[in-house]
Amino acid sequence: MYRDFIPKTKIRLGISACLLGEPVRFDGGHKRSAFCTDALSDFVEYVPLCPEAAIGLGVPRPTIRLEQHDDQIIATSAKGNDVTEALVAYGKEQAVALDQKISGYIFCAKSPSCGMERVKLYQGDSKMSTSDGIGLFSNEIMQHNPILPVEENGRLNDALLRENFITRVYAYSHWQHVIAEGLTAGKLIEFHSQYKYLLMAHSLAAYKTLGQLLSDLSGDLQSLSECYIVEFMRSISKPVSRKAHTNVLQHLQGYFKNHLTSAQRQEFAKVITDYRNGHLPLLAPLTLIRHFLAAYPDEYVAKQRYLHPYPDELNLRYAL
Ligand code: SF4
């Protein structure tokens, strides 16, 4: 069953080319990300892009910076050339070209072209700056598809953010697959059903809201599904706390209570408590649940993506 969840083909991700070790930075260097090139590369097919190289700035090249001029943000190179139009046009072109062909994007942090947030933004041509900028290329990618999972290289070093990003990527890829196969009311309900506990972990309120949204499927399924996935992706966009995981684990525990001996129930409860108190990783209670699931099969629990949000081999839950 679990293997059925994992896409048969590699998931495609857009990525800033320098993160793969390509020597495309202004100084001819790169920003190779070990997580992207080592851990993740077996599971994804990358679409590497370097917008600054693509618009013909060359390598090496003068650095560029974002400047705020009244209500306009422009990108200028150290030689004084305005490259705003070229970067924005390239961003728009790639956003359309990649639409529904990728399931996420990993951007290089702090870049005036690729940065997702907190990019240095200068006040006019002065030396004064804030960290309020967004890369001109990444901004176009994110504006075109606001529900596309996106993350930056630096943030991927944080175990919680990394796990959350990969969870979003696989969930979004699953959704894209459902849509590509042809959405029906039944498939929409089935999708929601598979994500019950994952959604509950992120937000009980969101799980209920989404359930209510699906309570009447007599209207326009297309627009309803669009509302659904926007809210779904928004709901799972933040990492899950230990407390929220504990709540879900206790719900799942309930499925097995009639099968387990008193000693097994106590052991199960202790493992969950030890996880809650930070003495065990999330993987410990999840492994126990999978073990009990193998012994006492339950179709509804078995199909929960919460238990298998992405390939086990990524080892992301050891660190949670
Ligand atoms: S951050 Fe973006 S523009 Fe800069 S080198 Fe990397 S891919 Fe190219």
Side-chain angles (χ1 to χ4, degrees):
M1 183 78 179
Y2 156 59
R3 286 290 154 197
D4 295 346
F5 290 171
I6 305 305
K8 304 281 180 286
T9 53
K10 286 185 172 184
I11 283 182
R12 295 184 91 214
L13 288 185
I15 189 166
S16 297
C18 56
L19 297 179
L20 293 184
E22 294 185 21
V24 289
R25 295 195 78 214
F26 69 96
D27 57 0
H30 59 77
K31 293 274 272 184
R32 181 179 170 277
S33 153
F35 175 68
C36 296
T37 56
D38 303 342
L40 197 52
S41 61
D42 282 347
F43 303 93
V44 304
E45 178 192 341
Y46 288 119
V47 182
L49 296 175
C50 175
E52 291 177 22
I55 64 169
L57 293 180
V59 182
R61 58 182 172 270
T63 54
I64 65 172
R65 69 179 213 166
L66 293 182
E67 293 180 359
Q68 175 100 48
H69 292 265
D70 299 323
D71 58 352
Q72 269 200 320
I73 291 176
I74 63 168
T76 56
S77 84
K79 283 196 170 167
N81 298 333
D82 186 336
V83 294
T84 314
E85 214 177 293
L87 277 175
V88 169
Y90 183 68
K92 286 188 193 301
E93 177 195 308
Q94 289 303 320
V96 171
L98 295 175
D99 192 35
Q100 300 312 319
K101 295 190 182 74
I102 55 172
S103 303
Y105 209 113
I106 302 174
F107 292 114
C108 182
K110 301 203 168 67
S111 156
S113 304
C114 293
M116 190 179 94
E117 58 186 17
R118 294 191 295 275
V119 175
K120 207 173 243 192
L121 178 61
Y122 289 88
Q123 304 307 304
D125 53 11
S126 76
K127 287 187 177 161
M128 282 169 44
S129 66
T130 62
S131 300
D132 298 333
I134 299 174
L136 294 188
F137 170 80
S138 48
N139 189 44
E140 293 304 323
I141 301 287
M142 295 189 290
Q143 294 274 337
H144 182 80
N145 182 1
I147 61 171
L148 182 74
V150 293
E151 197 44 278
E152 288 186 333
N153 54 321
R155 286 164 51 93
L156 287 174
N157 293 326
D158 179 298
L160 276 174
L161 296 176
R162 182 168 62 222
E163 198 270 345
N164 178 254
F165 174 63
I166 299 299
T167 298
R168 285 185 287 137
V169 163
Y170 273 86
Y172 189 55
S173 166
H174 180 198
W175 175 258
Q176 289 172 312
H177 187 69
V178 171
I179 295 296
E181 280 197 327
L183 186 70
T184 62
K187 285 183 182 172
L188 184 52
I189 294 291
E190 178 58 18
F191 181 90
H192 183 64
S193 168
Q194 290 185 26
Y195 285 92
K196 172 178 177 172
Y197 287 107
L198 190 84
L199 278 168
M200 273 180 69
H202 283 274
S203 165
L204 199 51
Y207 173 69
K208 286 182 182 160
T209 304
L210 286 166
Q212 278 159 7
L213 189 64
L214 301 188
S215 62
D216 179 8
L217 296 175
S218 59
D220 177 5
L221 192 62
Q222 172 77 20
S223 52
L224 187 133
S225 68
E226 284 166 11
C227 290
Y228 176 87
I229 196 60
V230 167
E231 183 59 20
F232 176 94
M233 293 306 296
R234 193 194 61 74
S235 303
I236 66 168
S237 65
K238 290 206 174 68
V240 180
S241 66
R242 268 182 194 264
K243 187 176 170 200
H245 272 306
T246 302
N247 182 38
V248 166
L249 293 167
Q250 285 167 339
H251 270 87
L252 290 169
Q253 187 184 20
Y255 283 93
F256 303 104
K257 66 174 187 239
N258 294 333
H259 297 293
L260 305 183
T261 64
S262 166
Q264 284 174 318
R265 280 201 296 273
Q266 278 177 26
E267 172 65 10
F268 202 166
K270 182 174 181 327
V271 169
I272 292 176
T273 304
D274 283 351
Y275 161 71
R276 173 74 176 94
N277 293 332
H279 301 142
L280 286 174
L282 180 59
L283 197 63
L286 290 177
T287 302
L288 204 51
I289 289 172
R290 288 189 193 183
H291 171 75
F292 288 139
L293 192 54
Y296 312 110
D298 183 293
E299 209 179 314
Y300 191 70
V301 176
K303 74 179 181 183
Q304 290 304 315
R305 297 282 172 146
Y306 177 77
L307 297 177
H308 310 282
Y310 39 72
D312 288 349
E313 294 81 354
L314 281 164
N315 290 333
L316 298 175
R317 282 172 157 179
Y318 278 111
L320 297 188

